[in-house]
């Protein structure tokens, strides 16, 4: 099996002699206190990892013994806490997915509040071993900060993946499920190792064939997949077509207030749960980009979501209702229909109208996963409604896994953003973990970046985004530095001459991509439809002009209250005043909120036009440095990974140069202002 296929579960042989024998002492014997599907998965993972790292086949026991050290695998119910120096209050503070790692007497306790916690504790222990950390005095407790930690697959049943940059689907092929589910099992392992506990396996754009996933034709196969994920503590959801009562049931309507429609969904939910008793529920994209929804029947999103929620409620199922709703045929010259305002305008007035098993899934920004945009004002705006945030791990607008763009710093910035929804310290992370408004359900979802490429993500370094997403949503207080080093250690080993160049590339990649693409938050200057490469006037949903409103005098979108779309008023104070003020608005978002002259002076002291020139040249030079740093790793890492990234960096440099030349030429011709450093390359 290639190294790139194993992602961060490399389980390299332990080279340090002292660590090698210390580890063997503790893990040669494993006591498995109870057998469940999930604990059996944990035990198998341990056995496979120890064979690889220590050339050891541990003995498995069912009861503790006292002759020699052992590793104890079980739940807190399997021990007497007092005998192990564990306070009852400590265990009570853990949630159902929490765990304890503790070295006591002659054993290492790997115990969870439930078997799910035991699985997460196992992967934590294996992280320590892979990073060659001491384990002879462990005392670690941990619980996830977010309740729902979810992956959204955008896989289609023909085998393609919408916004997929890593090959074809690992679930579907030729309008059916794949026969060999080995990759699905390995994917479940990878996701469980970073704490993911839910997945929707099909595209949110549900077309004719995908609609049938909730029928008897395909439910037995959905069950097979669900059983694999269940053994790794991951719950399966399905994206559904709101018009299913018409498409599948032969009804003349999908009106959520129609009694026949309500009955159809009730029967459908009953049928699904007969196949999959722990089915998670539905993910729904409705009334957006041509998908059917309640608007067809003059019903609200709350009425549309609630008909599904009532059907699922007897089985503890959930409806995850996406808030990506806007009029994509709008006239962009009409400032009253600002796309950025759409989610707030549609959903804000519905607060308190959704049933308690509905969760609104809100994109991190108001537009569409741009390299830089503000936090969505809908986050925190609905105090009586469950809500979760949606990130895009797949790099649709951030280089498509051709260009390296490590997104953990971006996500970290979003989590830490203070909305002031309930005054100071109303951070996004406190909203999506449910604590700010005491939500019944909440969490984080990410659009997957994997496919059937050998290395899963097309670009080997893009694995860091999947790993980092899982670790960050488990605990948004983890530092970017810690997550980054963890991934490098697990994937490449702990030698600093390898670690430091990769870390530098990753930690500078988001800023670099932003530098040679979108200046100052304006975004969207990409080729329509496929979204890779520069096209300054290419905003695909605007038939009537450019998104950035550049003319001979200036650039940017006026979203102020006084003269623009009024979007800034959707934020809580003082954010609304900061964004509305030309003087106070952060430079990195200036053109998202304001139309300014090219001569406008930024807080850096540069003019807008000079900033555009400089950053695009800087972006290219940094990519050249990435290549130099990566070339220094030849012979020090797996050659397959080395060649994969080398090839991608070559393509990234070509892309960066094209962006630099087209953007700078465009704005020179538009503004008539030359680069003060006289570096222009006209195209």
């Amino acid at each position: 099996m290639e190294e790139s296929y194993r992602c961060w579960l490399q389980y390299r042989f332990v080279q340090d002699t002292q660590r090698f024998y210390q580890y063997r002492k503790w893990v040669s014997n494993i006591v498995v206190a109870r057998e469940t599907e999930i604990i059996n998965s944990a035990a198998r993972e341990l056995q496979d990892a120890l064979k690889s790292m220590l050339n050891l086949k541990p003995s498995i026991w069912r009861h503790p013994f006292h002759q020699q050290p052992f590793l104890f695998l079980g739940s807190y119910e399997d021990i007497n806490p007092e005998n192990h120096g564990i306070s009852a209050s400590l265990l009570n503070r853990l949630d159902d997915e929490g765990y304890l790692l503790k070295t006591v007497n002659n054993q290492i306790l790997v115990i969870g509040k439930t078997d799910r916690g035991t699985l997460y504790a196992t992967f934590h222990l294996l992280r320590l071993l892979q990073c060659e950390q001491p384990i002879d005095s462990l005392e670690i407790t941990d619980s996830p900060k977010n309740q729902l930690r979810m992956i959204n697959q955008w896989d289609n049943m023909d085998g393609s993946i919408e916004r997929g940059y890593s090959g074809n689907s690992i679930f579907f092929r030729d309008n059916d499920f794949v026969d060999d589910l080995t990759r699905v099992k390995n994917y479940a392992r990878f996701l469980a190792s970073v704490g993911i506990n839910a997945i929707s396996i099909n595209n949110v754009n549900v077309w004719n064939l995908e609609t049938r996933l909730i029928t008897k034709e395909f439910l037995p196969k959905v069950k097979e997949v669900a059983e694999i994920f269940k053994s790794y503590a991951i719950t399966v959801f399905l994206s559904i077509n709101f018009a299913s009562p018409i498409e599948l049931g032969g009804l003349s309507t999908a009106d959520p207030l129609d009694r026949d429609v309500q009955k159809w969904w009730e029967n459908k939910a009953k049928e699904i749960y007969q196949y999959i008793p722990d089915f998670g529920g539905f993910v729904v994209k409705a009334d957006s980009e041509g998908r059917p929804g309640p608007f067809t029947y003059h019903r609200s999103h709350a009425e549309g979501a609630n008909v599904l929620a009532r059907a699922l409620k007897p089985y503890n199922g959930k409806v995850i209702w996406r808030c990506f709703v806007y009029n994509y045929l709008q006239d962009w010259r009409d400032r009253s229909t600002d796309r950025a305002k759409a989610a707030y305008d549609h959903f804000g007035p519905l607060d308190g109208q959704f049933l308690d098993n509905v969760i609104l899934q809100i994109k991190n920004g108001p537009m569409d996963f741009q390299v830089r945009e503000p936090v969505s004002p809908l986050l925190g705006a609905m105090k009586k409604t469950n809500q979760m945030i949606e990130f895009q791990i797949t790099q649709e607008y951030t280089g498509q896994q051709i260009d390296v763009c490590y997104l953990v710093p971006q996500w970290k910035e979003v989590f830490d953003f203070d909305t002031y929804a309930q005054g100071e310290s109303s951070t996004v992370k406190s909203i999506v973990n449910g604590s700010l408004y005491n939500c019944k359900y909440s969490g984080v979802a990410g659009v997957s970046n994997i496919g059937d490429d050998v290395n899963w993500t097309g670009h080997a370094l893009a694995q860091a985004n999947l790993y980092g997403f899982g670790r960050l949503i488990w605990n948004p207080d983890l530092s970017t530095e810690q997550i980054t080093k963890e991934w490098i250690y697990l994937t490449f080993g702990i030698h600093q001459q390898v670690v430091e160049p990769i870390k530098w590339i990753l930690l500078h990649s988001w800023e670099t991509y932003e530098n040679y693409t979108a200046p100052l938050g304006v975004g969207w200057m990409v080729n329509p439809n496929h979204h890779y490469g520069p096209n300054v006037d290419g905003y695909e949903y605007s038939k009537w002009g450019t998104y950035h409103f550049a003319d001979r005098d200036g650039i940017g979108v006026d979203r102020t209250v006084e003269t623009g779309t009024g979007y800034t008023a959707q934020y809580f104070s003082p954010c609304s005043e900061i964004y509305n003020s030309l003087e106070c608005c952060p430079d990195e978002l200036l053109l998202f909120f304001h139309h300014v002259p090219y001569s406008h002076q930024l807080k850096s002291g540069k003019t807008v036009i000079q900033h555009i020139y400089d950053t695009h040249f800087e972006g290219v030079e940094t990519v050249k440095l990435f290549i130099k740093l990566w070339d220094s790793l030849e012979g020090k890492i797996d050659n397959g990974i080395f060649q994969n990234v080398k090839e991608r960096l070559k393509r990234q440099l070509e892309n960066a140069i094209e962006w630099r030349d087209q953007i700078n030429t465009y704005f020179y011709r538009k503004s008539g202002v030359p680069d003060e450093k006289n570096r222009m390359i006209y195209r």
Side-chain angles (χ1 to χ4, degrees):
M1 188 186 299
E2 293 191 20
E3 280 194 19
S4 61
Y5 181 89
R6 295 194 294 267
C7 295
W8 52 87
L9 299 183
Q10 295 290 327
Y11 299 141
R12 285 187 171 81
F13 190 79
V14 175
Q15 299 291 332
D16 184 287
T17 303
Q18 183 178 356
R19 288 276 186 260
F20 179 85
Y21 286 109
Q22 180 197 65
Y23 294 163
R24 284 180 67 99
K25 179 187 81 169
W26 286 108
V27 302
S28 293
N29 295 285
I30 301 175
V31 173
V32 181
R34 63 172 61 202
E35 285 198 62
T36 69
E37 284 184 272
I38 293 173
I39 288 183
N40 287 343
S41 295
R44 282 195 305 272
E45 196 71 29
L46 272 170
Q47 289 174 294
D48 292 345
L50 297 177
K51 179 180 179 181
S52 179
M53 288 191 287
L54 302 172
N55 194 24
L56 173 69
K57 183 179 180 180
S59 300
I60 304 296
W61 307 86
R62 297 302 171 195
H63 301 285
F65 53 91
H66 304 287
Q67 289 83 358
Q68 52 190 312
F70 63 92
L71 189 152
F72 184 91
L73 200 66
S75 79
Y76 83 106
E77 296 175 347
D78 300 316
I79 64 168
N80 184 332
E82 293 182 2
N83 292 345
H84 297 86
I86 303 170
S87 68
S89 62
L90 183 149
L91 290 171
N92 289 336
R93 288 198 299 272
L94 297 177
D95 68 18
D96 285 347
E97 296 180 299
Y99 59 83
L100 169 69
L101 287 172
K102 184 176 175 66
T103 310
V104 54
N105 300 326
N106 67 332
Q107 59 189 293
I108 293 179
L109 300 176
V110 184
I111 57 174
K113 192 71 171 286
T114 64
D115 56 359
R116 287 174 289 164
T118 307
L119 179 68
Y120 299 138
T122 300
F123 279 115
H124 191 145
L125 177 66
L126 290 173
R127 277 200 303 273
L128 296 175
L129 298 183
Q130 289 181 91
C131 295
E132 299 194 16
Q133 297 297 302
I135 61 171
D136 52 356
S137 57
L138 296 175
E139 188 155 4
I140 298 170
T141 58
D142 202 5
S143 288
K145 298 295 192 295
N146 288 298
Q147 181 187 68
L148 196 62
R149 305 178 302 281
M150 188 173 193
I151 290 289
N152 289 173
Q153 298 291 140
W154 282 2
D155 295 33
N156 302 310
M157 290 192 68
D158 64 3
S160 65
I161 302 173
E162 185 167 346
R163 307 309 178 191
Y165 310 108
S166 314
N168 293 314
S169 172
I170 67 169
F171 298 96
F172 307 114
R173 187 79 72 251
D174 299 327
N175 299 325
D176 203 342
F177 281 82
V178 297
D179 295 323
D180 184 355
L181 296 175
T182 301
R183 284 194 73 124
V184 173
K185 181 177 180 180
N186 280 316
Y187 189 38
R189 291 174 54 236
F190 298 142
L191 296 183
S193 74
V194 293
I196 299 297
N197 67 358
I199 185 170
S200 57
I201 64 172
N202 63 308
N203 193 356
V204 293
N205 290 316
V206 182
W207 305 101
N208 293 335
L209 185 63
E210 286 79 11
T211 300
R212 288 157 47 195
L213 280 172
I214 57 173
T215 68
K216 292 180 180 180
E217 179 183 3
F218 287 111
L219 281 172
K221 296 184 179 182
V222 176
K223 178 182 179 180
E224 282 186 62
V225 171
E227 288 294 328
I228 292 172
F229 281 109
K230 179 183 177 182
S231 68
Y232 286 92
I234 299 169
T235 301
V236 164
F237 288 69
L238 288 174
S239 296
I240 58 100
N241 184 341
F242 188 81
S244 292
I246 299 172
E247 301 287 339
L248 299 176
L251 301 184
S252 61
T253 181
D255 183 350
L257 300 191
D258 183 276
R259 181 56 196 150
D260 289 338
V261 170
Q262 295 168 0
K263 187 65 177 176
W264 189 90
W265 281 114
E266 290 168 8
N267 291 336
K268 180 53 63 179
K270 181 179 179 180
E271 180 180 60
I272 293 170
Y273 281 94
Q274 286 173 345
Y275 283 93
I276 311 167
D278 60 343
F279 179 67
F282 298 144
V283 176
V284 188
K285 178 179 179 179
D287 290 316
S288 180
E289 298 183 327
R291 304 312 301 135
F295 284 177
T296 302
Y297 310 99
H298 307 289
R299 310 301 187 194
S300 72
H301 283 283
E303 290 168 321
N306 288 345
V307 67
L308 303 173
R310 289 189 191 94
L312 295 173
K313 197 169 184 62
Y315 314 99
N316 296 316
K318 304 172 186 67
V319 174
I320 298 175
W321 192 271
R322 296 179 82 241
C323 295
F324 186 55
V325 176
Y326 67 99
N327 178 6
Y328 70 105
L329 299 176
Q330 71 187 46
D331 184 338
W332 204 246
R333 297 168 300 182
D334 182 353
R335 299 302 182 89
S336 67
T337 59
D338 184 356
R339 174 174 169 177
K341 296 168 65 177
Y344 187 102
D345 287 346
H346 280 303
F347 289 93
L350 302 177
D351 191 24
Q353 297 181 32
F354 293 90
L355 294 181
D356 67 358
N357 59 329
V358 176
I359 312 169
L360 297 187
Q361 184 167 299
I362 305 166
K363 286 191 176 185
N364 62 275
M367 298 299 283
D368 194 8
F369 301 129
Q370 298 299 290
V371 68
R372 175 78 67 176
E373 57 182 298
V375 168
S376 170
L378 188 59
L379 288 162
M382 303 182 72
K383 302 181 180 183
K384 301 173 184 177
T385 305
N386 300 320
Q387 53 199 287
M388 61 192 295
I389 193 170
E390 178 183 359
F391 293 116
Q392 192 178 46
I393 311 170
T394 192
Q395 294 171 227
E396 177 181 356
Y397 291 102
T398 52
Q400 299 190 358
Q401 282 137 246
I402 298 169
D403 300 23
V404 59
C405 188
Y406 183 49
L407 294 169
V408 170
Q410 182 197 66
W411 302 331
K412 177 80 173 170
E413 188 174 287
V414 172
F415 275 133
D416 290 340
F417 178 76
D418 195 342
T419 67
Y420 289 87
Q422 291 284 80
E424 193 172 2
S425 299
S426 301
T427 57
V428 169
K429 61 189 174 188
S430 73
I431 294 165
V432 300
N433 71 21
S435 64
L436 189 67
Y437 297 135
N438 194 29
C439 294
K440 182 177 180 180
Y441 299 117
S442 59
V444 185
V447 182
S448 172
N449 67 340
I450 70 103
D452 69 354
D453 279 1
V454 171
N455 67 7
W456 297 88
T457 56
H459 193 312
L461 294 187
Q463 292 178 5
N465 282 328
L466 183 60
Y467 178 87
F469 173 78
R471 293 290 287 134
L472 186 65
I473 69 173
W474 176 278
N475 181 4
D477 293 326
L478 291 174
S479 70
T480 299
E481 175 94 1
Q482 177 181 341
I483 293 170
T484 309
K485 288 173 67 175
E486 268 185 14
W487 178 77
I488 298 170
Y489 287 166
L490 300 179
T491 305
F492 295 98
I494 62 175
H495 301 296
Q496 290 307 299
Q497 66 266 35
V498 171
V499 171
E500 289 304 316
I502 298 173
K503 185 176 76 170
W504 199 94
I505 291 170
L506 289 176
L507 293 181
H508 290 82
S509 60
W510 175 40
E511 176 187 18
T512 299
Y513 188 84
E514 181 180 17
N515 277 346
Y516 65 74
T517 55
L520 304 170
V522 72
W524 291 113
M525 296 188 295
V526 295
N527 282 306
N529 301 315
H530 65 79
H531 300 160
Y532 187 78
N535 189 323
V536 189
D537 292 333
Y539 182 56
E540 60 202 358
Y541 294 133
S542 177
K543 300 177 182 178
W544 304 277
T546 64
Y547 169 77
H548 49 74
F549 290 98
D551 55 27
R552 67 176 186 177
D553 299 315
I555 180 177
V557 185
D558 185 353
R559 291 190 163 100
T560 64
V561 172
E562 294 81 6
T563 58
T565 70
Y567 167 76
T568 57
Q570 291 186 343
Y571 289 90
F572 292 96
S573 180
C575 297
S576 57
E577 291 85 359
I578 291 171
Y579 288 148
N580 199 66
S581 166
L582 182 59
E583 291 73 27
C584 298
C585 183
D587 280 350
E588 64 269 19
L589 291 171
L590 177 70
L591 302 184
F592 189 94
F593 288 105
H594 297 275
H595 186 87
V596 299
Y598 295 108
S599 59
H600 175 81
Q601 189 173 72
L602 302 171
K603 296 175 180 62
S604 66
K606 293 183 181 181
T607 63
V608 166
I609 190 65
Q610 193 59 44
H611 173 90
I612 291 172
Y613 296 152
D614 286 349
T615 53
H616 284 78
F617 276 100
E618 288 165 10
V620 169
E621 294 308 307
T622 307
V623 176
K624 291 178 181 177
L625 181 54
F626 289 170
I627 292 172
K628 182 178 180 180
L629 288 169
W630 189 257
D631 284 346
S632 74
L633 300 176
E634 188 170 11
K636 299 175 184 176
I637 63 173
D638 174 76
N639 188 58
I641 295 176
F642 176 80
Q643 294 298 336
N644 167 261
V645 176
K646 183 180 178 69
E647 179 268 338
R648 298 285 165 136
L649 287 173
K650 177 178 179 291
R651 293 169 65 186
Q652 180 173 1
L653 180 59
E654 294 168 354
N655 188 40
I657 290 171
E658 185 178 13
W659 273 95
R660 178 198 66 190
D661 295 350
Q662 287 202 22
I663 298 297
N664 284 352
T665 299
Y666 177 95
F667 284 108
Y668 169 69
R669 290 173 175 165
K670 185 73 75 169
S671 69
V673 179
D675 171 25
E676 64 185 25
K677 299 177 183 178
N678 197 30
R679 300 164 296 182
M680 299 303 290
I681 302 172
Y682 300 114
R683 293 184 64 159

